């Protein structure tokens, strides 16, 4: 919720179910710019909305004002966004504002319903089956194309096909298009084009369609059958598009068919080019930035009053974008905080990742001891692979957490069971479980107690604690519901509460679950917390190692900007100098912090400082001192030859090398080199293997002292080498997943982004589309 402008309980009369009395009441509590959006009901409208400025509030009030004033017919309004969660929130707000009947959906859900409705008359027969996971089919297409691909390559190929489809590139044109776009393809472009073509043919042979086909086929039907397009445009006459900076060419093509593509369409778009973080999937801010070109008479409103974050957080966010370059940066919005002053953002440097995680967990506990709720705290990281160490650190302190992107609230077994119990108690009217309960919350607690719910949470974390948190969220919702209804003079009995739960479930408007949120920066888009910990902010992780071009680097900067602007009051930015305890302190803080963190200057790499500065703490783990003369470990002579210095002994002095270990190391090196398609010396040289076999290190710290074992190789191969030294077989799967900087191969990192994009941007999880397909179709 947005501080100072909270939807549910403050300036929406009646809160739950207490709808504004009339159209003018819908405008109550809006600031001048939000009111300008809400009252701009005719022609194209472009809303440039910075983070935390109440864009969802502005556009939902615009729709509600249009409906309540009679300008819009609710069944003629279609609002589209990019995630099921955002669509559910929009439906919930519209319901509270009295705009029932308005359709708020993702692009894919809206297109699927139209495709199901019009397919029989446009094509004939049933709509092809929707493919749940395309990876398996891509693997088959690769095999049929004569290619052998590894798992990571398979995920990359899938992401590349998805990019080609949303940017409307056919297989034959892919090689030229990828070269023109400067895209770093995971394989030879001609090979990818061949797999792409085979994949498409295989889908046709089996009469299945994928996620992107839903949009492609719907757009094609509307283009080819004018009478069907006319029916859709007669049904929907007013359109709202949220997060317009993330629209892809394919989505814009479909939107043009919905609106008719004219300059005077009744179309309202809202977005912020500075929050474009999905370009790698084909999304582009160009449609937002060029909206006035296509619609010269458009009304343009800028929202810059930030109701979410304190002036200190906003100042940091503005400073971060002040260093940005490119088209999006030229259109950046300078936010103005509307909140009282708060604590300064804190910058913290740690010796290694486990220390960073443990210290973060302790700082979270301190905030909770000060009264900050766990559900109002988040730990955000660049890749999902970074979460494990924070899960463990929180669990060690007995702090509950939730992973963003987990099972949807109303589909959890305990929530569904609770709904059945509450519905049964509401129908009976005199259920013995609720007899004597003084209020609604007490009745809910009594019903849930029959399934083991207690007022005191169970110890520890895990499934038992997660189940308790779900039920506790239902109790808190009952308390809020009762307060709001009684304030509006309306009944707050169990029947009304069950109806509210049903409405929320339909809208996917879930209550907050108590637990610290762990999420990737991509998954955090659109969310906010009182306290945010941005962790792992090192070069090679943010910006990610595969971000090479200026455009890719600027998108990484925008990703950090999204993370910063999730914080309302408390903001911590941290990084670790090494991955493991005792490792080399070779990592550098992200370049995006230059000029922002104490002791650094913008636009240059700076040395790490010590001590503290106002508003933040910057700790240094220290660097290893430059090495002086190296002497032979046997005779003490100063060594000058490179190989001798590596072995730390004269060539003629006796060796203490473990021959068996040396041979195991050589065999392991050969396997790794073959897997990676590189010469053996790229993994480790013979001299380095000899040095390892002589020292037989037992810890990361000891291994890091061996010449030739740098930070990258320590992260990439350290665990396997130490296993060999201990006489064990290294975990090959774990070794294959490690990368030179962040512990995950660059291909996996790209696939991690692509997978996140499929869930957070491309539309909805397949389960929700499948749910859509079960519902009765509508135009």
């Amino acid at each position: 919720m947005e501080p100072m402008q909270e939807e549910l309980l403050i300036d929406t009369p009646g809160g739950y179910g207490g709808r504004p009395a009339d159209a003018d009441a819908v405008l109550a509590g809006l600031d001048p710019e939000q009111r300008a959006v809400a009252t701009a009901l005719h022609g194209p409208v472009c809303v440039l909305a910075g983070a935390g400025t109440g864009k969802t509030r502005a556009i939902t009030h615009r729709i509600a004002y249009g409906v309540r004033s009679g300008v819009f017919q609710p069944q003629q309004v279609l609002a589209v966004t990019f995630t099921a969660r955002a669509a559910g929130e929009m439906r919930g707000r519209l319901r509270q504002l009295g705009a029932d009947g308005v359709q708020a959906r993702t692009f894919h859900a809206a297109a699927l319903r139209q495709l199901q409705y019009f397919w029989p008359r446009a094509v004939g027969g049933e709509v092809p089956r929707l493919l749940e996971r395309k990876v398996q089919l891509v693997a088959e297409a690769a095999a049929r194309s004569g290619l052998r691909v590894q798992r990571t390559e398979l995920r990359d190929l899938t992401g590349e096909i998805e990019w080609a489809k949303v940017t409307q590139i056919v297989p034959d044109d892919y090689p030229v298009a990828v070269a023109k776009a400067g895209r770093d393809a995971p394989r030879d472009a001609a090979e990818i084009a061949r797999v792409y073509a085979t994949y498409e043919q295989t889908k046709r042979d089996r009469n299945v369609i994928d996620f992107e086909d839903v949009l492609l086929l719907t757009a094609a039907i509307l283009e080819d059958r004018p009478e069907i397009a006319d029916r859709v445009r007669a049904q929907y006459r007013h359109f709202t598009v949220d997060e317009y900076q993330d629209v892809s060419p394919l989505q814009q093509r479909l939107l043009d068919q919905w609106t008719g593509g004219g300059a005077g369409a009744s179309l309202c778009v809202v977005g912020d080019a500075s929050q474009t973080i999905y370009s790698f999937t084909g999304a582009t801010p160009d449609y937002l930035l060029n909206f006035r070109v296509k619609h010269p008479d458009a009304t343009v409103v800028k929202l810059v009053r930030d109701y979410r974050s304190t002036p200190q957080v906003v100042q940091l966010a503005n400073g971060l974008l002040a260093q940005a370059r490119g088209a999006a940066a030229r259109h950046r919005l300078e936010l103005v905080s509307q909140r009282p002053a708060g604590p300064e953002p804190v910058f913290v440097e740690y010796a290694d990742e486990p220390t960073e995680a443990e210290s973060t967990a302790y700082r979270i506990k301190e905030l909770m001891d000060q009264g900050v709720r766990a559900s109002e705290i988040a730990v955000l990281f660049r890749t999902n692979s970074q979460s494990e160490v924070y899960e463990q650190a929180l669990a060690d302190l007995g702090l509950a957490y939730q992973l963003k992107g987990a099972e949807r609230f109303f589909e959890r077994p305990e929530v569904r069971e609770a709904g059945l119990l509450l519905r049964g108690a509401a129908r009976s009217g005199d259920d013995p479980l609720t007899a004597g309960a003084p209020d609604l919350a007490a009745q809910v607690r009594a019903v849930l107690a029959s399934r083991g719910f207690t007022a005191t949470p169970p110890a520890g974390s895990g499934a038992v604690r997660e189940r308790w948190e779900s039920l506790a969220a239902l109790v808190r919702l009952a308390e809020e519901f009762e307060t709001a209804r009684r304030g509006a003079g309306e009944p707050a009995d169990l029947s009304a509460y069950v109806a509210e739960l049903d409405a929320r479930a339909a809208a996917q408007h879930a209550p907050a679950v108590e637990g610290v949120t762990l999420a990737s920066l991509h998954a955090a888009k659109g969310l906010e917390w009182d306290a945010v910990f941005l962790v792992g902010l090192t070069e090679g992780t943010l910006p990610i190692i595969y971000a090479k071009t200026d455009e890719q680097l600027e998108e990484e900067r925008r990703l950090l900007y999204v993370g910063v602007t999730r914080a309302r009051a408390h903001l911590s930015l941290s990084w670790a100098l090494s991955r493991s305890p005792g490792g080399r302190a070779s990592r550098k803080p992200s370049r995006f912090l230059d000029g922002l963190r104490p002791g650094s200057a913008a636009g240059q790499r700076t040395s790490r400082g010590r001590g503290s500065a106002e508003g933040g703490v910057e700790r240094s783990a220290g660097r290893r001192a430059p090495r002086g003369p190296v002497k032979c470990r046997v005779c003490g002579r100063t060594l000058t030859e490179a190989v001798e210095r590596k072995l730390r002994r004269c060539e003629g002095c006796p060796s203490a090398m473990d021959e068996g270990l040396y041979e195991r190391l050589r065999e392991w090196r050969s396997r790794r080199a073959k897997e990676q398609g590189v010469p053996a010396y790229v993994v480790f040289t013979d001299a380095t293997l000899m040095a390892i076999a002589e020292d037989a290190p037992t810890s990361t710290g000891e291994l890091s002292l061996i010449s030739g074992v740098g930070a990258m190789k320590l992260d990439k191969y350290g665990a396997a080498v130490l296993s060999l030294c201990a006489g064990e077989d290294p975990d090959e799967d774990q070794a294959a997943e490690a990368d030179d900087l962040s512990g995950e191969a660059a291909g996996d990192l790209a696939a991690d982004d692509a997978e996140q994009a499929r869930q957070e941007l491309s539309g909805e999880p397949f389960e929700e589309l499948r749910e859509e397909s079960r519902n009765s179709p509508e135009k």
Side-chain angles (χ1 to χ4, degrees):
M1 291 193 294
E2 296 145 2
M4 303 175 64
Q5 296 203 347
E6 296 179 338
E7 285 287 357
L8 296 182
L9 305 179
I10 295 183
D11 50 304
T12 298
Y16 293 92
R19 301 178 176 184
D22 52 31
D24 289 339
V26 173
L27 302 177
L30 300 181
D31 68 32
E33 293 79 23
Q34 292 171 344
R35 181 181 287 260
V37 173
T39 54
L41 302 179
H42 301 283
V45 178
C46 180
V47 183
L48 302 176
T53 58
K55 67 177 181 64
T56 305
R57 176 183 178 81
I59 59 176
T60 52
H61 279 70
R62 178 182 182 271
I63 294 171
Y65 181 69
V67 170
R68 300 296 294 274
S69 64
V71 177
F72 298 164
Q73 295 300 312
Q75 66 274 13
Q76 294 180 340
V77 179
L78 176 60
V80 290
T81 187
F82 288 83
T83 67
R85 177 189 52 76
E89 179 185 358
M90 193 176 293
R91 287 192 293 268
R93 293 198 188 198
L94 290 170
R95 180 171 58 90
Q96 293 159 7
L97 292 169
D100 298 285
V102 172
Q103 295 297 313
R105 302 186 180 279
T106 66
F107 269 100
H108 288 81
L112 180 61
R113 292 172 75 85
Q114 293 179 18
L115 188 66
Q116 290 173 324
Y117 186 85
F118 290 113
W119 182 275
R121 67 196 68 183
V123 181
E126 295 184 356
V127 179
R129 180 175 61 86
L130 188 60
L131 189 65
E132 293 195 31
R133 286 177 54 83
K134 60 169 66 73
V135 174
Q136 184 175 353
L137 204 60
V138 172
E140 184 177 335
R144 291 175 60 185
S145 301
L147 299 181
R148 296 183 62 183
V149 296
Q150 297 179 351
R151 179 180 60 86
T152 54
E153 289 182 295
L154 188 60
R155 295 169 64 188
D156 289 342
L157 281 173
T158 302
E160 204 64 13
I161 290 173
E162 290 172 349
W163 172 79
K165 296 188 73 167
V166 301
T167 51
Q168 304 182 89
I169 298 168
V170 297
D172 288 345
D173 295 339
Y174 173 81
V176 174
V178 76
K180 184 177 179 180
R183 191 172 176 87
D184 189 12
R187 289 187 72 117
D188 178 76
E191 291 180 337
I192 295 177
R194 192 161 70 248
V195 175
Y196 180 13
T198 305
Y199 167 78
E200 291 297 309
Q201 183 60 52
T202 304
K203 285 198 291 100
R204 287 191 291 270
D205 293 343
R206 299 181 183 176
N207 196 34
V208 296
I209 58 176
D210 62 22
F211 218 44
E212 292 72 38
D213 290 331
V214 172
L215 305 183
L216 280 164
L217 293 172
T218 304
I221 287 174
L222 298 179
E223 290 165 352
D224 295 342
R225 298 291 295 271
E227 74 281 8
I228 293 178
D230 288 343
R231 290 194 61 184
V232 171
R233 293 165 194 162
Q235 172 72 53
Y236 294 121
R237 299 184 178 181
H238 311 285
F239 297 86
T240 299
V241 184
D242 193 14
E243 304 288 1
Y244 194 55
Q245 78 278 351
D246 288 329
V247 164
S248 70
L250 177 55
Q251 288 163 332
Q252 183 61 46
R253 174 185 171 188
L254 178 59
L255 180 61
D256 285 341
Q257 288 303 311
W258 284 343
T259 65
S266 180
L267 170 65
C268 175
V269 300
V270 58
D272 177 10
S274 296
Q275 296 187 67
T276 304
I277 59 174
Y278 288 109
S279 293
F280 61 91
T281 67
T284 171
D286 291 348
Y287 300 113
L288 175 66
L289 298 178
N290 297 325
F291 192 80
R292 284 289 298 273
V293 175
K294 185 174 182 179
H295 303 276
D297 296 329
T299 299
V300 178
V301 183
K302 294 183 179 180
L303 303 181
V304 296
R305 300 177 195 245
D306 189 323
Y307 295 95
R308 174 187 300 160
S309 304
T310 62
Q312 287 79 6
V313 174
V314 168
Q315 181 181 7
L316 179 59
N318 286 338
L320 182 61
L321 283 190
Q323 302 176 25
R325 301 291 182 268
R330 289 193 295 272
H331 292 82
R332 70 184 182 91
L333 299 169
E334 188 83 13
L335 300 178
V336 181
S337 176
Q338 306 297 298
R339 294 195 58 183
E344 293 286 344
V346 176
F347 297 81
V348 191
E349 185 173 272
Y350 295 101
D352 51 68
E353 287 183 6
T355 301
E356 183 180 14
E358 292 166 9
S359 298
T360 298
Y362 275 108
R363 295 182 66 200
I364 288 172
K365 188 176 186 303
E366 290 174 358
L367 285 175
M368 293 174 62
D369 291 342
Q370 296 167 13
V372 180
R373 291 169 55 178
S375 59
E376 292 296 346
I377 301 174
V379 179
L380 306 181
F381 30 75
R382 177 61 179 84
T383 69
N384 290 324
S385 63
Q386 295 171 268
S387 72
E388 183 177 1
V389 66
Y390 291 92
E391 294 178 50
Q392 185 61 54
L394 291 170
D396 288 345
L397 293 182
L399 303 180
Y401 63 86
Q402 54 180 331
L403 290 170
K404 179 67 179 66
E407 187 177 25
R408 290 188 293 170
F409 181 82
F410 287 105
E411 293 179 359
R412 298 177 184 177
E414 64 270 19
V415 174
R416 299 180 68 172
E417 181 186 24
L420 292 173
L421 292 172
L422 291 168
R423 193 171 292 108
R427 280 199 301 266
S428 67
D430 56 352
D431 192 291
L433 292 175
T434 60
D439 53 35
L440 175 62
Q443 293 176 21
V444 173
R445 279 192 293 268
V447 172
L448 299 183
S450 67
R451 288 298 183 270
F453 176 75
T454 61
T456 304
S461 58
V464 174
R465 180 62 181 255
E466 290 177 3
R467 181 179 186 277
W468 185 90
E469 294 290 355
S470 297
L471 300 180
L474 294 176
V475 174
R476 286 192 300 273
L477 183 62
E479 294 169 347
E480 295 171 1
F481 178 77
E482 183 173 25
T483 299
R485 296 277 290 195
R486 296 203 185 284
E490 298 179 353
D493 54 21
L494 202 55
S495 295
Y497 176 67
V498 168
E500 173 66 17
L501 286 181
D502 290 341
R504 278 176 167 261
Q508 285 301 320
H509 186 190
V513 175
E514 278 305 309
V516 177
T517 299
L518 299 178
S520 72
L521 288 166
H522 281 101
K525 181 74 167 64
L527 302 175
E528 59 185 82
W529 297 270
D530 284 344
V532 169
F533 291 82
L534 300 175
V535 299
L537 302 181
T538 60
E539 286 289 304
T541 300
L542 190 71
I544 202 70
I545 189 172
Y546 59 77
K548 306 292 187 183
T549 67
D550 290 343
E551 290 182 0
Q552 291 169 340
L553 289 170
E554 285 305 320
E555 180 137 332
E556 293 288 298
R557 186 195 306 275
R558 294 193 295 268
L559 194 55
L560 179 57
Y561 174 78
V562 166
V564 168
T565 55
R566 299 311 95 194
R568 298 192 188 107
H570 303 277
L571 177 62
S572 172
L573 304 95
S574 65
W575 58 95
L577 299 179
S578 68
R579 183 182 182 190
S580 306
R584 291 185 178 182
S586 58
R587 291 180 172 179
K588 297 179 180 179
S590 170
R591 71 189 70 180
F592 302 140
L593 303 182
D594 292 350
L596 302 176
R597 60 186 179 90
S600 67
Q604 67 180 62
R605 304 302 309 143
T606 58
S607 61
R608 289 179 282 275
R610 294 179 179 270
S612 63
E614 182 179 355
V617 178
E618 189 165 356
R619 301 173 185 167
S620 174
R623 302 191 189 197
R624 178 186 300 170
R627 294 186 178 184
V630 179
K631 295 187 177 183
C632 174
R633 71 175 86 185
V634 179
C635 70
R637 182 178 70 86
T638 299
L639 303 175
T640 57
E641 297 296 323
V643 172
E644 291 182 338
R645 289 170 63 90
K646 186 183 290 289
L647 294 174
R648 292 189 291 123
R649 64 172 175 82
C650 300
E651 186 176 0
C653 286
S655 170
M657 183 177 69
D658 183 336
E659 296 288 347
L661 173 58
Y662 179 65
E663 289 304 319
R664 292 198 302 274
L665 286 167
R666 283 175 55 87
E667 292 172 2
W668 165 82
R669 181 185 64 174
S670 177
R671 293 196 304 271
R672 294 308 310 275
K674 185 175 181 180
E675 290 171 2
Q676 298 173 23
V678 297
Y681 66 80
V682 172
V683 180
F684 282 123
T685 64
D686 285 343
T688 299
L689 291 188
M690 291 174 66
I692 294 172
E694 287 196 358
D695 285 2
T698 60
S699 69
T700 303
E702 293 178 1
L703 180 59
S704 69
L705 295 175
I706 296 175
S707 178
V709 185
M712 291 191 299
K713 293 190 177 182
L714 187 66
D715 281 350
K716 193 168 187 177
Y717 306 122
V721 169
L722 290 174
S723 294
L724 286 164
C725 292
E728 302 170 352
D729 290 331
D731 184 343
E732 291 295 329
D733 290 336
Q734 179 178 355
E737 291 295 325
D739 104 328
D740 55 352
L741 283 175
S742 62
E744 192 170 15
D748 275 348
L749 292 171
D752 184 34
D753 282 347
E755 181 65 25
Q756 185 65 61
R758 280 191 282 276
Q759 296 179 13
E760 293 293 325
L761 174 66
S762 296
E764 302 157 309
F766 177 81
E767 288 72 15
E768 183 151 346
L769 280 183
R770 185 165 53 196
E771 181 180 330
E772 286 285 352
S773 69
R774 287 197 296 264
N775 295 334
S776 57
E778 67 175 44
K779 295 193 292 257

